Amino acid sequence: MKTIDKSNLDKIIGILKKDGYTVIGPIVKDGAIVYDEIESINDLPAGWGDEQEAGSYRLVKRNDESLFGYVVGPQSWKKFLFPQRMKLWEAGRDGRGFTIKHSDEPVPKYAFLGVRSCELKAIFIQDKVFNNDLYTDSYYNNVRNNIFIISVNCTQAASTCFCVSMKSGPKAKDGFDISLTEVIGKDGHYFVLDESTEKGKELTAKLDAEIATDEQVKAADTRVASAELGMKRSMNTAGIKELLYHNHDHPNWAEIATRCLSCANCTLVCPTCFCHTMEDTTDLTGDHTERWRRWDSCFSLDYSKVAGGNFRTSPKARYRQWMTHKLASWIDQFGTSGCVGCGRCISWCPVGIDITKEVEKIRNSPKTKS
Amino acid sequence: MANKKPKLAVFKMSSCDGCQLSLLDAEDELLDVLGGVELAYFPEASSKMLKGPYDIGLVEGSITTPRNVEEIRQIRKDCKILITIGACATAGGIQALRNWKDTQEFTKIVYASPEYISTLDRSLPVNAFVHVDFELRGCPINKYQLIEVLNAFLNSRKPNIPAYSVCIDCKLKGNVCVMTAHNIQCMGPVTQTGCNALCPSYNRGCFGCYGPMDSANTAALAKQFKEMGSTKFDIMTAFRSFNAYAEAFRKESEANEK
Ligand code: SF4
Ligand code: SF4
Ligand code: SF4
Ligand code: SF4
Ligand code: SF4
């Protein structure tokens, strides 16, 4: 373990930029923390924190100058690996036939600064979606193989976080190149640094890093532990797959449907949801056509429209699909839960529907399976 | 293609002209559109007025007079494909506010000789009278969506006009939600997208220009507005605007009337 100060964090950004990375990090925009390109540590949300509740998110001023004193906002890193809108290919009329042209845009080379533990887990989960035995998404993998990841361990949780239940945080155990824990104490403002890959070690070697003292390591661990112990939300995941599979007709689904807007915000903010649709466009002459991929959601009605009809017309069926996919059928599909407990779907649901509470209701009154 | 260019006609019922002007406003694409169709009837733009039948008819405006009723029946007969454009033609428009009042009383107040006024009791969408092939929503419509509909028709493909909520486009754009982050009431969750989430992109709540989305749960949103501090009157007026007479919005405004 090593420690670095703020100026060395800035140095990291500089080195990565010099190495050709586009550095992405948290910034303040329109009253929330979002992810965008940063130039230096001056772009980071110094002194900002967040307060989150079901259906509510507020940025608040902290009484210190910490750079990572908040948790996750409305966006996740998925927008860089799995962009909201993306042109897959285009084709031009060519006599009586046509020619297909694939994109020759260079693959972006991203460095992600400030990836939380739950978000790292979400990236692992999307890895299974976009790179598995059946299917490989070339764009996703090309970007993924190039990323430099600097994770930041959470030293406090929002009221909406439940990563402890989902075994995905608050401390990142692997999958990062470098991990940081921010400490502000009597002995100053510093970051306890852990490097896990060769790339990470090479970069750290270029810094003025010091060997962390036992006290510094302990200070970092205590802070992460306090995030863990202070976590207010939880989800009991024992037998959750069977619980949801056996409660397909539970009355709670219809009750949720009276509250749910089918607005799809929960799926779009979720760092693991991967659903998308295809759109074909043409120019007016019909000589040029493009195929675009854009995010979609199981909450949109057209999403489940197939030849002959729609198999999920009611909002009740759509909410049930979302929750059952996240927490149950995802396990059959990808060998892991589709939820990392980041709490985004809770904070950003305009009517504050809380996935942990809805699971609890079903667990507390399960329909006995006949 | 050896075929003749399809004949396009643009008609107006009771409306402000804003929607049909979006076609003229599409400066960059207008020439391409005109390259693909024959502009057979568009009094707002050209004195050339060819007789029907037409391949595509665009209709703006709601049906508010007995004359409108006759006209729209004839237009339906004259057009192979009938596309209504804008909140007036698809939902009755802002003038549908009169549907809750006594029209006779208005004419008496406004006109010196009300006996010359021939009007219907209600302002209704075109589809209340004739079959409509495609409805393009919005007050006003988005010109890019109009080009997309014409483009799709010319190329025999499905138009990319989603019926889901404004929220989806709002999130795709990376906006921070004004409801959850700023306690601003937003009609986005029950409104069909079409404007690419214009108002939330400027930190304002959506007003509902494109009418109800595919499965609008207006009661749940109204309840949330109430929790955010709205009165029943505020909620009633939020649902009673450009698309007041679209069924889902109409019912919600009526539920909050008293
Ligand atoms: S389901 Fe909700 S809590 Fe779980 S990962 Fe998705 S957004 Fe986060
Ligand atoms: S929950 Fe819905 S949007 Fe998310 S991955 Fe599953 S089907 Fe797709
Ligand atoms: S659960 Fe909330 S965010 Fe998700 S679709 Fe329903 S209302 Fe929208
Ligand atoms: S700002 Fe409005 S449109 Fe955008 S996500 Fe929030 S509720 Fe939906
Ligand atoms: S009020 Fe709503 S529908 Fe109208 S432009 Fe604004 S966001 Fe779009």
Side-chain angles (χ1 to χ4, degrees), chain A residues 5 13 16 39 48 51 70 85 92 115 157 161 186 212 216 225 230 237 241 259-260 267 310 313 315 328:
Chain A
D5 60 8
I13 299 173
L16 288 167
E39 298 297 329
W48 286 105
E51 277 170 5
Y70 41 84
R85 282 196 168 84
V115 181
C161 297
K186 277 181 251 114
Q216 286 173 321
T237 58
K241 190 175 97 177
R259 289 177 279 134
C260 173
T267 58
N310 192 315
T313 49

Side-chain angles (χ1 to χ4, degrees), chain A residues 56-124:
Chain A
S56 161
Y57 176 103
R58 295 289 178 272
L59 267 190
V60 290
K61 267 280 169 202
R62 295 173 57 93
N63 53 15
D64 63 24
E65 279 302 299
S66 62
L67 299 178
F68 300 101
Y70 41 84
V71 293
V72 294
Q75 302 180 351
S76 70
W77 306 95
K78 84 173 173 187
K79 70 173 182 168
F80 299 101
L81 287 148
F82 165 51
Q84 295 95 317
R85 282 196 168 84
M86 196 174 115
K87 184 161 77 184
L88 297 180
W89 49 266
E90 54 192 287
R93 205 190 288 280
D94 195 356
R96 306 189 69 171
F98 58 90
T99 319
I100 290 183
K101 193 173 141 235
H102 289 275
S103 164
D104 44 21
E105 301 253 318
V107 178
K109 193 172 158 191
Y110 291 125
F112 292 170
L113 168 63
V115 181
R116 305 303 172 129
S117 180
C118 63
E119 302 189 293
L120 256 184
K121 177 86 183 285
I123 294 175
F124 298 160

Side-chain angles (χ1 to χ4, degrees), chain B residues 100-168:
Chain B
W100 284 275
K101 302 281 180 205
D102 180 357
T103 313
Q104 297 308 318
E105 210 171 292
F106 285 145
T107 51
K108 270 186 233 152
I109 299 167
V110 175
Y111 299 101
S113 310
E115 60 277 17
Y116 293 122
I117 302 296
S118 163
T119 186
L120 301 174
D121 286 349
R122 294 182 301 165
S123 169
L124 292 174
V126 170
N127 73 11
F129 296 87
V130 296
H131 171 75
V132 173
D133 297 294
F134 191 84
E135 294 193 317
L136 185 65
R137 307 267 203 88
C139 183
I141 54 165
N142 173 340
K143 64 179 178 186
Y144 298 107
Q145 285 205 319
L146 178 60
I147 303 286
E148 168 61 14
V149 171
L150 292 174
N151 182 333
F153 171 80
L154 291 173
N155 287 298
S156 311
R157 66 170 171 84
K158 178 173 148 260
N160 295 312
I161 307 286
Y164 53 54
S165 67
V166 175
C167 297
I168 294 193

Side-chain angles (χ1 to χ4, degrees), chain A residues 223-237:
Chain A
R223 278 168 172 73
V224 177
S226 81
E228 183 165 346
L229 294 171
M231 199 159 292
K232 295 194 195 82
R233 256 188 183 66
S234 63
M235 185 191 281
N236 176 357
T237 58

Side-chain angles (χ1 to χ4, degrees), chain B residues 164-199:
Chain B
Y164 53 54
S165 67
V166 175
C167 297
I168 294 193
D169 277 340
C170 193
K171 281 284 180 291
L172 259 63
K173 267 181 116 172
N175 289 344
V176 172
C177 175
V178 301
M179 282 267 282
T180 38
H182 301 291
N183 205 43
I184 296 173
Q185 295 184 4
C186 181
M187 290 282 282
V190 295
T191 300
Q192 177 171 317
T193 188
C195 59
N196 205 11
L198 192 58
C199 296

